[in-house]
Amino acid sequence: MLTFFLGCKKEEISKCDDNIGLFTFSSYPIGTAIDFNALESDPVYKSIAIKQFNSITPENIFKAQYIHPEPLLFNWTEADRLASFCQNNNKRLHGHTLIWHQQLPQWILDYQGSPFDWELLMKVHIQTVMTHFKNKVTAWDIVNEAFNEDGTLRNSIWKQKIGDGYIEKAFLFAREADPSALLFYNDFNLESNTTKLNSVLSFLNNLRNRGVRIDGIGIQMHISTYYPEPTQIANTFQKIATQNYKIHVSELDISVNPLGKDFVPSEELFNEQANLLGSLVLNYNQIPKQFQHGITFWGISDKNSWIRDFYNREDYPLLYDDNYLPKPCYCKLIKTL
Ligand code: G3I
């Protein structure tokens, strides 16, 4: 992997060198996903997390596979340590994620029962986790990635076992468990796929019309320098905000090599990445304040990004390079916040 060679100009980042963080430039929270192992083992990672961000999303450790490994066993150890880290350092904790078709423990995948048994299983999972973190977690991704790209409901294990009503039930159980938490629906490609966005909005609006409280929508935004166009992003923000949902840019990263080609990273490419981030932020700034839940990056340094492992490709999607030096997109962020 390349060691990043085109970092910010020193004078551009001097404002952030010491105790001033990215979030101090912003009127809304600036977050990062936290890889718990890196937080505990890498002091540089930890100090950047503390200094630069004021909202934390657990990248993995709140997912059912880790937090609910056996039917009657909840594993709070790491999640509690992260919650204490957030409390001690005055960070908002955004819970991710309760109901998803991935990263499920084997016992859920193997579970045999009636639709009612499955509903109970889902209720116990949501309510035990939310009750445990009451007053520690401000907002939750209740349901994650429930839609297909064509706008239909994904045939996830939850839909198969409980039926289409599982999403409504999940939000109702969540509200019952912690009436003060903000409840989000979270998904990807909403900024680039209008069919999917329209389906999600009409589905959630329908639930709201039936009295189900849903506070916001997480737009993951695993995007790239090739798509989407800034205007698509602006339209998406506007469309969601006009329907009275808070917007969380919940998993932002900007790939510079989405096709996984052999490529030579160039100054031009990293400036393109910075410019796309800049326009995204300027558009986010236009959203009425009450709908700005914040912008969360899906990691700190390029070397921590899920993209390299998952797609097995060379890529540089985040604010910091492999040596934790801020990149041009970091400087652009400060200028545009
Ligand atoms: O738990 C094992 C661990 O025991 C083992 O030592 C390690 C060795 O590689 O692997 C660990 O599991 C990995 C896990 O991350 C924790 O590091 C899995 O193999 C790996 O597949 C898993 O990837 C996560 C992925 O979700 C799972 O689909 C990524 O870190 C995480 O960034 C990614 O996050 C998702 C969001 O939750 C939802 N939206 C999409 C986003 C990107 O896929």
Side-chain angles (χ1 to χ4, degrees):
M1 287 289 171
L2 169 101
T3 297
F4 197 79
F5 56 91
L6 297 164
C8 297
K9 295 193 179 67
K10 189 74 182 161
E11 61 275 17
E12 286 184 304
I13 59 165
S14 59
K15 287 190 280 186
C16 302
D17 271 355
D18 294 310
N19 293 314
I20 310 171
L22 279 171
F23 65 86
T24 64
F25 293 87
S26 169
S27 59
Y28 45 81
I30 301 296
T32 182
I34 285 290
D35 167 352
F36 187 74
N37 290 335
L39 187 74
E40 295 233 311
S41 63
D42 183 341
V44 183
Y45 179 97
K46 185 175 178 178
S47 80
I48 293 177
I50 293 173
K51 201 200 298 183
Q52 301 288 7
F53 302 94
N54 61 349
S55 180
I56 297 293
T57 303
E59 185 174 0
N60 284 299
I61 60 172
F62 275 45
K63 292 171 180 170
Q65 180 187 5
Y66 297 99
I67 214 162
H68 196 173
E70 302 290 341
L72 299 177
L73 177 72
F74 286 84
N75 172 14
W76 306 120
T77 314
E78 296 189 334
D80 279 349
R81 287 222 293 273
L82 186 62
S84 301
F85 168 83
C86 290
Q87 281 195 314
N88 296 339
N89 292 288
N90 203 20
K91 310 294 179 200
R92 178 181 75 181
L93 181 51
H94 182 99
H96 173 82
T97 176
L98 290 162
I99 298 300
W100 191 26
H101 60 282
Q102 285 186 33
Q103 288 181 291
L104 291 168
Q106 197 56 43
W107 74 267
I108 292 188
L109 296 172
D110 293 343
Y111 186 73
Q112 301 290 326
S114 66
F116 179 77
D117 296 329
W118 272 87
E119 196 180 310
L120 190 62
L121 180 162
M122 182 172 81
K123 181 176 184 179
V124 168
H125 177 69
I126 291 173
Q127 297 201 333
T128 308
V129 177
M130 286 186 71
T131 304
H132 184 84
F133 290 107
K134 220 169 182 167
N135 303 321
K136 293 181 179 160
V137 171
T138 311
W140 287 94
D141 293 334
I142 304 301
V143 177
N144 193 39
E145 301 174 3
F147 282 79
N148 295 312
E149 294 307 288
D150 66 1
T152 56
L153 270 188
R154 183 192 292 278
N155 193 25
S156 75
I157 194 166
W158 303 105
K159 176 175 167 346
Q160 288 168 33
K161 304 296 184 182
I162 301 175
D164 293 3
Y166 85 91
I167 300 176
E168 174 170 358
K169 285 175 181 145
F171 278 95
L172 290 172
F173 294 149
R175 180 64 61 202
E176 210 173 78
D178 187 354
S180 64
L182 296 171
L183 311 185
F184 280 75
Y185 174 76
N186 193 50
D187 214 328
F188 58 87
N189 286 351
L190 299 179
E191 69 289 343
S192 55
N193 180 344
T194 322
T195 307
K196 188 173 184 181
L197 175 64
N198 290 343
S199 288
V200 167
L201 280 169
S202 92
F203 188 90
L204 297 181
N205 287 342
N206 187 33
L207 294 191
R208 273 183 164 179
N209 290 338
R210 293 148 59 84
V212 180
R213 205 176 127 194
I214 298 163
D215 300 290
I217 297 180
I219 324 177
Q220 295 183 7
M221 301 205 76
H222 297 291
I223 59 177
S224 82
T225 45
Y226 296 84
Y227 68 88
E229 294 296 325
T231 48
Q232 287 175 278
I233 298 175
N235 292 341
T236 305
F237 289 163
Q238 209 186 7
K239 200 170 202 172
I240 298 177
T242 51
Q243 302 199 35
N244 295 319
Y245 292 95
K246 288 180 185 294
I247 300 177
H248 185 201
V249 174
S250 57
E251 305 184 11
L252 180 59
D253 41 38
I254 305 179
S255 165
V256 291
N257 186 20
L259 302 177
K261 292 183 176 163
D262 281 343
F263 84 127
V264 181
S266 63
E267 181 166 7
E268 203 186 349
L269 200 51
F270 290 115
N271 286 337
E272 246 180 76
Q273 184 183 47
N275 289 338
L276 181 58
L277 177 62
S279 70
L280 184 157
V281 171
L282 291 176
N283 283 314
Y284 194 83
N285 294 344
Q286 301 302 313
I287 299 171
K289 201 162 179 36
Q290 71 269 29
F291 300 126
Q292 292 172 329
H293 187 67
I295 297 181
T296 295
F297 292 85
W298 207 239
I300 292 179
S301 134
D302 290 338
K303 75 170 173 182
N304 308 118
S305 170
W306 68 286
I307 288 179
R308 290 184 181 176
D309 283 345
F310 190 82
Y311 294 108
N312 191 22
R313 72 179 189 228
E314 185 174 354
D315 216 327
Y316 307 93
L318 291 167
L319 295 174
Y320 287 85
D321 74 6
D322 285 49
N323 295 317
Y324 292 119
L325 293 173
K327 291 161 56 185
C329 49
Y330 173 95
C331 300
K332 184 64 95 175
L333 182 58
I334 291 171
K335 287 182 194 151
T336 47
L337 278 172

